Amino acid sequence: MKKLLLSLLTSISLGTSLLSAQETEKSIVIRSTDGQQEEIDLPQGMISATDSLYLDWISKNYINPSENCTASTQNPQVSDSIYMDRLKRIPAIIEMPYNDIVRKFIDMYATRLRQKVAFMLSANNFYMPIFEEALDLYDLPLELKYLPIIESALNPLATSSQGAVGLWQFMLRTGQAYGLKVNSLVDERRDPIKSTRAAARYLKDLYDIYHDWNLVLAAYNCGPGTINKAIRRAGGETDFWSIYNYLPQATRGYVPAFIAANYIMTYYCEHYITPMEMRMPESTDTIHVSRPLHLNQVAEVCKINIDELRAMNPEFKKDIIPGNEKQYALRLPTNMISKFIDLEDSVYTYKTNTYLTRRATVSVKDTKGATDGKPVYHRIRSGETLGGIAAKYGVSIKQLRRLNGIKGSNIRAGKSLRIR
């Protein structure tokens, strides 16, 4: 994968930070056919302030009419029959039925979230080829490429309140189970390519369990254990809509939101939504790093914008590449690869005391007389106590008792005690 939309990723990071500070809508109310109201939690990717000043600004500056789409801030009225017809015409394997709940989510994308849809349509240029390649590799339905829309709104740095991270919102244990390394410095859940491959394997494993894509989607959201409980409570039913009332609130809205995401990303023009214009992707390549390296070292020596460098390498949480642990790939603009190679020694040695402060070794002077691992003894003087001797040598009373076969605290002057 040799393309990266630098300006888009930087914009997503900025947009996310601005949106997170604002009040969010976390649920919607659905009126059932019997007149009762039901509150359904929104998926993570739909939770954002739709009146964001940031989205307002970029929509005015970057959204322009395309040849095929009519630009407007108004959403047209669409009948149920048209919605049903359009959903049927989507070339998909996954069943996409239409009902009042699905319509509620479609309307939300087409009205309150229409600026976010325009924003995500631009992200398609970079992310969709990555998603499609992985899904095709594992022979999965390509419509699953829209799953990260409801998971993360196509933000690789997205983090949920439950701790799910990245485009595909992997929880820590699930990500690790599918080969994504997570430690204090690296979080591969934030790597678009690695996390997408892991998500494809996870979805394939879930399908081998349920053989029903709507149940797979529900299990991806709340876990197989919760789905299995719902199936048992529903008397063994294995259809999403049959177990709907036995599912958590967040999962009830998950499949309808997925259907709505497929709809809006297919028929956005019919709702007068136009993609934001972003710069075309810049060619990138990777270079292998086998020594500790800080992104600021690269940025300052090679004269690369640090925000762009972070956008190209989102998996490095603290800007540190722990190359001494294992070999990592550093992604750079193609025209910077040769410059990095020419300046490689300078990059690695630049301000190491500032950016790489972890010490490899620490020497400790032994002031208690312990040398070369040999036993250390102390001759007891009159008036000394076991506790005082232990404190003098920095050991515990328990250790002195164990080494010398002492049960109490009585010791005799003139005797020798083994200290260590």
Side-chain angles (χ1 to χ4, degrees):
M1 188 63 60
K2 299 290 185 180
K3 299 286 184 179
L4 186 68
L5 193 53
L6 298 179
S7 60
L8 172 63
L9 290 181
T10 305
S11 297
I12 287 177
S13 299
L14 174 60
T16 302
S17 64
L18 289 172
L19 287 173
S20 62
Q22 301 191 23
E23 188 175 352
T24 59
E25 183 178 11
K26 298 184 178 180
S27 63
I28 59 174
V29 176
I30 303 292
R31 186 179 296 276
S32 61
T33 54
D34 59 3
Q36 294 184 344
Q37 289 187 342
E38 177 187 6
E39 186 174 353
I40 298 178
D41 294 340
L42 294 176
Q44 181 67 29
M46 298 183 79
I47 299 175
S48 68
T50 56
D51 59 347
S52 161
L53 293 176
Y54 173 69
L55 280 178
D56 226 16
W57 181 83
I58 57 177
S59 67
K60 292 175 182 176
N61 286 273
Y62 289 97
I63 297 181
N64 290 307
S66 67
E67 294 181 0
N68 300 319
C69 296
T70 302
S72 173
T73 58
Q74 299 298 316
N75 181 48
Q77 293 293 322
V78 181
S79 67
D80 289 338
S81 60
I82 292 177
Y83 276 139
M84 286 187 282
D85 180 64
R86 288 175 180 172
L87 284 171
K88 287 178 182 178
R89 287 192 279 116
I90 293 177
I93 293 175
I94 300 176
E95 179 187 4
M96 295 189 188
Y98 177 79
N99 54 36
D100 289 341
I101 305 174
V102 172
R103 176 169 186 136
K104 189 81 172 182
F105 278 95
I106 292 176
D107 288 343
M108 192 169 186
Y109 273 126
T111 54
R112 286 170 284 176
L113 292 174
R114 62 190 292 111
Q115 289 180 326
K116 174 174 278 193
V117 172
F119 196 56
M120 292 187 293
L121 284 166
S122 296
N124 280 355
N125 295 334
F126 173 61
Y127 290 121
M128 290 308 152
I130 296 175
F131 299 162
E132 290 174 346
E133 181 179 299
L135 294 171
D136 182 65
L137 178 66
Y138 290 95
D139 195 25
L140 301 176
L142 291 185
E143 52 268 30
L144 289 169
K145 65 187 177 183
Y146 295 129
L147 191 56
I149 285 177
I150 62 173
E151 283 288 349
S152 63
L154 299 184
N155 175 16
L157 304 182
T159 302
S160 75
S161 57
Q162 288 77 35
V165 172
L167 289 165
W168 296 87
Q169 290 290 281
F170 271 107
M171 295 296 288
L172 177 63
R173 297 305 177 200
T174 307
Q176 290 175 330
Y178 283 85
L180 297 178
K181 179 179 288 293
V182 181
N183 56 42
S184 296
L185 299 178
V186 178
D187 192 342
E188 292 182 344
R189 294 176 296 175
R190 295 161 53 161
D191 183 296
I193 296 174
K194 291 177 181 177
S195 66
T196 298
R197 292 290 180 91
R201 294 196 300 273
Y202 184 33
L203 289 165
K204 187 174 182 64
D205 287 346
L206 289 174
Y207 186 76
D208 289 342
I209 296 171
Y210 296 108
H211 301 285
D212 180 283
W213 282 113
N214 283 334
L215 287 184
V216 168
L217 292 169
Y220 190 92
N221 175 254
C222 66
T226 303
I227 297 301
N228 295 341
K229 291 177 185 176
I231 290 174
R232 287 196 295 271
R233 290 169 181 165
E237 295 285 348
T238 56
D239 174 75
F240 172 81
W241 301 103
S242 298
I243 67 171
Y244 177 88
N245 291 322
Y246 300 96
L247 294 171
Q249 283 187 331
T251 308
R252 293 180 189 183
Y254 196 78
V255 169
F258 173 77
I259 297 171
N262 270 267
Y263 173 90
I264 203 66
M265 299 301 282
T266 304
Y267 296 108
Y268 57 90
C269 273
E270 283 78 354
H271 290 267
Y272 308 145
I273 301 173
T274 56
M276 293 178 182
E277 288 187 354
M278 298 289 182
R279 285 185 298 163
M280 289 301 293
E282 186 174 331
S283 177
T284 68
D285 205 343
T286 57
I287 192 162
H288 293 295
V289 173
S290 55
R291 285 186 276 173
L293 184 65
H294 197 287
L295 294 186
N296 270 311
Q297 292 177 287
V298 182
E300 293 179 30
V301 175
C302 297
K303 309 301 181 187
I304 305 174
N305 181 278
I306 185 62
D307 290 328
E308 292 186 350
L309 195 57
R310 288 169 177 155
M312 286 185 282
N313 301 275
E315 67 270 32
F316 302 119
K317 297 160 63 175
K318 304 297 182 182
D319 292 345
I320 297 174
I321 304 175
N324 57 328
E325 178 210 1
K326 73 168 194 175
Q327 197 174 70
Y328 282 93
L330 169 68
R331 186 167 290 276
L332 296 169
T334 300
N335 59 6
M336 286 290 176
I337 293 292
S338 59
K339 186 174 184 178
F340 179 91
I341 294 173
D342 292 340
L343 300 173
E344 188 167 3
D345 289 337
S346 299
V347 172
Y348 281 112
T349 57
Y350 180 76
K351 291 187 178 180
T352 54
N353 290 335
T354 300
Y355 294 124
L356 300 171
T357 57
R358 295 167 65 193
R359 297 177 182 177
T361 59
V362 177
S363 60
V364 180
K365 187 179 292 185
D366 188 350
T367 60
K368 306 303 180 183
T371 57
D372 301 326
K374 295 179 180 179
V376 176
Y377 291 89
H378 171 81
R379 184 172 291 277
I380 304 170
R381 296 175 183 176
S382 179
E384 286 187 315
T385 64
L386 195 63
I389 296 171
K392 179 179 179 180
Y393 287 91
V395 297
S396 66
I397 295 176
K398 182 178 180 180
Q399 179 176 324
L400 295 182
R401 286 172 176 162
R402 177 176 56 80
L403 290 174
N404 296 277
I406 300 173
K407 293 184 178 180
S409 298
N410 293 327
I411 54 176
R412 292 173 59 186
K415 293 286 186 179
S416 291
L417 278 179
R418 182 176 174 180
I419 305 301
R420 50 174 74 87

